[in-house]
Amino acid sequence: MSHDANLPALTACHLRTGNLCVNSVIQNIPGFAYTFKLHPDGKEEFLFASDNVIEVYGIDTKTLQENTSKLREAFHPEDLTSFRKAMHYSAQTLTPFHCVFRYVHPTKGLVWLESNSHPLLQDDQSVIWHGITLDITKQKQAEEVLASTASHLSSLLNTLPDLVWMKDPEGVFLTCNHAFEQLFGAKTIEIIGKTDYDFWERDLADWFRQKDKEAIVKGTVTTYENRLVYRATGKEGLLETRKVPVYSEAGELLGVLGIAKDITEQKKAEQQIEFLANYDALTELPNYALAADRMRQAISYAHHNATKIAMLFVDVDNFKAINDSLGHRIGDEIIRSVGRKIKKCLRTTDTVSRQGGDEFLILLTDIQSAQNVSAIADKLTAELNRSFRINSHAFSITISIGIALYPNDGEDFETLLQKADIAMYKAKEAGGNTYCFFTEKMNQDVVTYQHFQNDLKQALKNNEFELYYQPQINLKDYKESGIEALLRWKHPSRGMVSPMDFIPIAENSGLIVPIGEWVLQEACRQGALLHATGKTCTVAVNISAIQFRRGNLEQAVIGALESSGFSPRYLELELTESILLHDTEHVFQTLQRLKSLGIQLSLDDFGTGYSSLSYLKRFAIDKLKIDRSFVKDATQKAENAAIVRAIIQMAKSLNLKTVAEGVEDAQTVALLESYECDEIQGFYFAKPMPFASLLHYSSSLQTKKKVIDK
Ligand code: C2E
Ligand code: MG
Ligand code: MG
């Protein structure tokens, strides 16, 4: 340490006090003070080192003063060279020495040190430095943490899909992330220091600036949406931007932070969701929900203006068959075409909606009279009848339309829809390709039908069913060869209901399955009773197609046989052609198993359906029952007689028995006898009768034979 000549003279007391102060400062710094000398020959020497040197270098003052080689060995090799360079530079230029370097401390390991000192040239050309070396390891570590945090933050920002940037209060960019570069079509370094005016048209840049100012004035977040073209790709995007002013801890405005999210896809998805909520995806027509909404609006308008609205329920005829035979893809195309064709026939103010499947709903507002609606219905029918092409196939379809009017038929959407639906069914019942206006009578029919169906549900439980039996006569010996079980329903208020009236309802509702099981049980039970009296004839039971599809027929038959003890050889199942046409493999297997039990099979109402010969053999049918419609007037109509004769001959060649149904007079019996029909069933011999009557039925058969023989 040397004294500066310019310092004012100090008293001994001053000096003592000063030294004490300096010593106490030196003791308390995280480093040591030194006086270091570089001799002209390059020799290095510590003239002084405060006691703290042991803390910093791990070497005591004495060792240090003797030799610096031990010290230099512990310098980080990369830093020793730069340390020496700095020292020689300071010596040559006599400028302050400054160096930050790494040092391997014997106990602490690698530490960071910073040395600062002033050089003084001595008379002997040596240089002496007075200075301090500080341990800055903690500070360095903190800096490293800060630096890595900053780099993490910046890579985090760069991986964000959102655009992030910061501008100073004057609108000069301070920073931005990669996503932001896409919008500007420039690198971060090209953006920093510039303003929006360097990239965008003046108007747009003005607008950005104004939004920045808004955020500053508001003092909180401002949000807005805007469409922009990405300069990097030329693509347009919808951005949702938030701008927020940023302040220092002291409350000084630092700038405006911006974050923008590209919501183009999100908006598209939202629009798609909204579309799907209101429109039908296949036809892009309004769906049920939107139609209902529009109808409600139309009703409130019509109510105030005393006008009428028509609701048309449209259903494509036989669409299921078209779909099943041509496939769903063509089916979908047809539905689309129907939608387009309907739209073509209407005004833009009318609504067409798709209800699902092949059903469409049309709302016609401002209707003057029912004739107007008829004209539109005619137009629709004609337009849809015109053939159209899909994938080079020509199609022509027909539709059924049910019409309900506001306010005549109902005052709300649901009621009108229900009534238009009922009217549509009436149009279908009339054979399709037509339209029907709703009438109150239709409503009555529906109500009656529903009551009827409810009653039918109770009938089994209430024991309201009974089996009647109609004998079948063998023409060879005029003896009863069998009886057919025919179901009767004794309705509590309507009296006896014909199976023609309730079997279709039972089939539609699936009730035919439990009812059919009951018929099998009862027929087998009574058949067994009959056999016990010595009358061994076959009992024929009618089977519905639904029993095959929805029930377990095999189980029902076996159950009925087991519980009654009736012999399967005497049970005959009367099938209809429709049973054999669908799901043939399942039907074939079931029938085969039933046949293997000894059960016989007959085909009812033969001649009215497809009358296919191939399945007669395949399903091993035993008997054909010639339908009453041919037998009825065979004696009057030559062509009916020819059909009956042809059926009998064909059956013979296939080894099948024939039964003629609905024989009402002796002449028909004689005719059938001449054709060699095997058996006869009809009112001429007996009407269907209760089981009790059957037991006492002493046939007048021989008398009847005599009449015919004459
Ligand atoms: P089906 O099986 O063809 O039965 C013959 C029908 O013709 C019976 O009518 C019978 O009474 C009637 N009939 C018989 N001979 C004559 C005649 O000489 N003249 C006239 N005009 N009619 C005659 P029913 O009993 O009203 O049965 C009608 C149909 O109901 C049956 O036609 C059958 O398809 C169905 N059916 C009856 N009972 C059952 C059953 O238990 N289950 C199922 N699935 N259907 C049944
Ligand atoms: Mg029958
Ligand atoms: Mg029949």
Side-chain angles (χ1 to χ4, degrees):
M1 292 258 251
S2 72
H3 295 285
D4 196 314
N6 297 327
L7 284 176
L10 298 169
T11 63
C13 176
H14 276 134
L15 276 173
R16 220 177 19 254
T17 326
N19 276 345
L20 275 174
C21 282
V22 170
N23 276 342
S24 122
V25 170
I26 288 172
Q27 293 306 317
N28 289 303
I29 55 164
F32 69 97
Y34 62 80
T35 304
F36 178 77
K37 181 173 183 178
L38 180 66
H39 292 269
D41 60 359
K43 188 180 164 242
E44 301 172 352
E45 188 186 358
F46 272 94
L47 302 180
F48 166 77
S50 67
D51 293 344
N52 279 358
V53 72
I54 185 78
E55 291 289 323
V56 179
Y57 280 150
I59 301 172
D60 60 47
T61 320
K62 195 164 164 276
T63 318
L64 195 66
Q65 282 176 337
E66 279 166 7
N67 192 347
T68 57
S69 60
K70 199 174 169 207
L71 172 75
R72 298 295 181 230
E73 276 165 22
F75 270 55
H76 192 286
E78 278 172 23
D79 295 351
L80 181 59
T81 325
S82 51
F83 181 91
R84 286 215 160 110
K85 250 191 197 165
M87 187 169 74
H88 287 290
Y89 180 78
S90 168
Q92 275 158 20
T93 57
L94 293 179
T95 50
F97 168 76
H98 166 80
C99 188
V100 173
F101 58 98
R102 285 163 291 175
Y103 177 83
V104 184
H105 190 282
T107 54
K108 294 185 200 163
L110 191 80
V111 291
W112 281 90
L113 304 176
E114 181 181 358
S115 191
N116 284 296
S117 52
H118 276 276
L120 285 172
L121 184 66
Q122 305 298 304
D123 295 343
D124 61 355
Q125 296 304 304
S126 63
V127 181
I128 287 177
W129 287 270
H130 299 289
I132 295 175
T133 296
L134 294 171
D135 186 338
I136 57 162
T137 312
K138 281 209 175 103
Q139 181 192 329
K140 266 281 175 194
Q141 280 167 348
E143 274 174 19
E144 268 169 20
V145 169
L146 258 178
S148 79
T149 309
S151 112
H152 279 141
L153 260 176
S154 117
S155 44
L156 187 76
L157 280 182
N158 282 332
T159 52
L160 272 185
D162 294 353
L163 291 67
V164 183
W165 68 95
M166 170 100 183
K167 290 180 203 169
D168 74 7
E170 269 64 57
V172 176
F173 283 103
L174 298 172
T175 186
C176 66
N177 70 348
H178 283 345
F180 191 77
E181 291 177 349
Q182 292 294 310
L183 181 65
F184 274 55
K187 292 263 160 233
T188 304
I189 43 161
E190 295 162 336
I191 300 170
I192 291 173
K194 299 206 173 116
T195 70
D196 284 313
Y197 293 92
D198 295 309
F199 296 92
W200 307 103
E201 303 248 315
R202 189 168 183 85
D203 285 354
L204 187 56
D206 277 347
W207 190 74
F208 284 140
R209 185 79 192 113
Q210 182 208 326
K211 289 285 167 193
D212 289 344
K213 285 180 181 165
E214 257 176 52
I216 294 169
V217 170
K218 251 175 93 178
T220 58
V221 188
T222 344
T223 310
Y224 58 89
E225 275 178 24
N226 64 318
R227 289 198 170 277
L228 281 177
V229 174
Y230 284 85
R231 292 165 60 110
T233 56
K235 271 196 191 156
E236 195 186 69
L238 179 65
L239 295 177
E240 183 190 74
T241 304
R242 300 160 153 267
K243 282 186 172 169
V244 55
V246 179
Y247 299 93
S248 71
E249 271 181 35
E252 176 200 1
L253 177 70
L254 298 177
V256 177
L257 176 72
I259 300 170
K261 192 186 179 73
D262 190 316
I263 54 166
T264 319
E265 292 305 316
Q266 183 191 324
K267 265 278 144 89
K268 260 194 215 155
E270 279 170 16
Q271 280 164 356
Q272 182 71 5
I273 288 167
E274 202 186 300
F275 179 82
L276 289 177
N278 288 307
Y279 289 84
D280 165 51
L282 181 65
T283 57
E284 300 190 352
L285 291 173
N287 63 8
Y288 177 86
L290 186 57
D293 200 48
R294 292 211 183 147
M295 186 64 180
R296 280 180 200 119
Q297 285 174 22
I299 286 175
S300 102
Y301 176 87
H303 178 73
H304 284 105
N305 299 283
T307 55
K308 283 184 193 300
I309 307 171
M311 184 188 273
L312 280 67
F313 199 116
V314 179
D315 189 285
V316 178
D317 295 332
N318 301 320
F319 182 73
K320 195 181 169 325
I322 300 174
N323 216 23
D324 288 349
S325 57
L326 299 173
H328 290 270
R329 226 172 48 78
I330 301 262
D332 283 354
E333 281 304 321
I334 291 178
I335 291 296
R336 273 196 209 111
S337 302
V338 172
R340 279 195 296 269
K341 277 167 172 268
I342 294 177
K343 235 178 148 175
K344 212 172 116 184
C345 297
L346 306 174
R347 299 166 301 182
T348 46
T349 47
D350 298 325
T351 299
V352 194
S353 76
R354 178 168 174 244
Q355 300 293 96
D358 58 342
E359 292 172 354
F360 293 83
L361 198 66
I362 302 171
L363 308 179
L364 307 174
T365 49
D366 253 335
I367 292 298
Q368 304 307 318
S369 68
Q371 279 84 341
N372 288 159
V373 186
S374 294
I376 293 171
D378 279 328
K379 196 170 154 192
L380 283 167
T381 321
E383 175 62 32
L384 282 144
N385 282 352
R386 290 216 338 242
S387 82
F388 57 102
R389 304 189 79 81
I390 292 170
N391 295 351
S392 76
H393 295 285
F395 293 96
S396 158
I397 55 162
T398 61
I399 52 170
S400 298
I401 309 173
I403 305 166
L405 298 175
Y406 168 89
N408 314 41
D409 300 325
E411 300 203 341
D412 59 74
F413 175 74
E414 284 76 17
T415 312
L416 289 164
L417 182 66
Q418 194 192 359
K419 295 194 169 170
D421 191 16
I422 292 172
M424 190 275 291
Y425 272 101
K426 282 286 161 187
K428 287 256 178 215
E429 269 175 34
N433 197 23
T434 188
Y435 60 86
C436 273
F437 280 90
F438 173 80
T439 63
E440 243 343 284
K441 164 131 190 356
M442 290 178 191
N443 213 17
Q444 285 304 320
D445 290 350
V446 171
V447 173
T448 314
Y449 181 93
Q450 276 163 355
H451 283 160
F452 206 53
Q453 192 172 328
N454 285 342
D455 293 346
L456 196 58
K457 277 186 200 152
Q458 306 301 319
L460 257 188
K461 209 169 59 192
N462 296 345
N463 238 340
E464 290 165 11
F465 288 122
E466 187 181 343
L467 287 185
Y468 273 38
Y469 294 92
Q470 189 179 31
Q472 295 166 334
I473 314 301
N474 189 325
L475 277 182
K476 284 214 177 73
D477 53 12
Y478 275 73
K479 288 200 172 129
E480 273 175 273
S481 52
I483 48 173
E484 179 180 4
L486 293 159
L487 186 58
R488 297 291 178 264
W489 178 16
K490 290 172 292 174
H491 189 279
S493 58
R494 292 163 189 247
M496 200 63 94
V497 184
S498 160
M500 308 287 254
D501 293 333
F502 71 83
I503 295 279
I505 299 174
E507 287 184 327
N508 274 341
S509 58
L511 282 169
I512 193 68
V513 174
I515 294 175
E517 280 175 21
W518 179 86
V519 171
L520 276 164
Q521 289 274 352
E522 186 67 355
C524 288
R525 187 183 73 82
Q526 293 183 323
L529 284 177
L530 199 65
H531 279 217
T533 67
K535 253 187 170 183
T536 48
C537 61
T538 310
V539 177
V541 175
N542 290 284
I543 302 294
S544 153
I546 311 295
Q547 285 174 269
F548 265 92
R549 264 177 248 153
R550 295 209 218 154
N552 186 341
L553 182 71
E554 196 181 344
Q555 209 49 52
V557 170
I558 293 170
L561 289 169
E562 279 177 0
S563 63
S564 62
F566 190 56
S567 163
R569 277 202 301 137
Y570 292 100
L571 179 64
E572 181 181 308
L573 302 182
E574 286 196 13
L575 313 173
T576 56
E577 287 177 284
S578 63
I579 294 178
L580 309 181
L581 286 174
H582 300 289
D583 197 8
T584 48
E585 200 44 47
H586 163 68
V587 173
F588 178 73
Q589 301 289 344
T590 311
L591 291 180
Q592 271 227 316
R593 284 196 295 272
L594 289 172
K595 280 221 80 168
S596 68
L597 299 174
I599 289 166
Q600 297 174 54
L601 303 177
S602 63
L603 199 56
D604 209 351
D605 309 333
F606 190 77
T608 54
Y610 289 81
S611 309
S612 157
L613 297 182
S614 64
Y615 57 57
L616 293 179
K617 275 280 119 197
R618 173 160 151 76
F619 291 99
I621 302 290
D622 300 289
K623 250 188 212 179
L624 292 188
K625 296 191 74 182
I626 308 166
D627 192 68
R628 194 172 77 87
S629 56
F630 306 110
V631 176
K632 195 171 62 179
D633 40 24
T635 50
Q636 265 91 51
K637 284 191 184 159
E639 71 254 37
N640 277 7
I643 292 172
V644 172
R645 190 181 194 167
I647 294 176
I648 294 169
Q649 280 174 355
M650 179 207 67
K652 273 202 189 316
S653 64
L654 290 171
N655 245 341
L656 303 178
K657 278 196 172 166
T658 42
V659 185
E661 292 187 287
V663 177
E664 293 184 355
D665 53 55
Q667 293 91 317
T668 314
V669 182
L671 185 75
L672 291 162
E673 211 169 1
S674 73
Y675 291 162
E676 295 183 9
C677 181
D678 295 306
E679 290 169 18
I680 276 178
Q681 183 180 345
F683 291 176
Y684 179 69
F685 290 109
K687 287 195 169 178
M689 61 189 89
F691 182 67
S693 315
L694 188 71
L695 285 176
H696 307 296
Y697 170 65
S698 63
S699 68
S700 46
L701 293 172
Q702 293 308 322
T703 338
K704 297 229 155 130
K705 179 172 168 31
K706 276 179 204 145
V707 175
I708 296 157
D709 286 346
K710 272 185 199 160

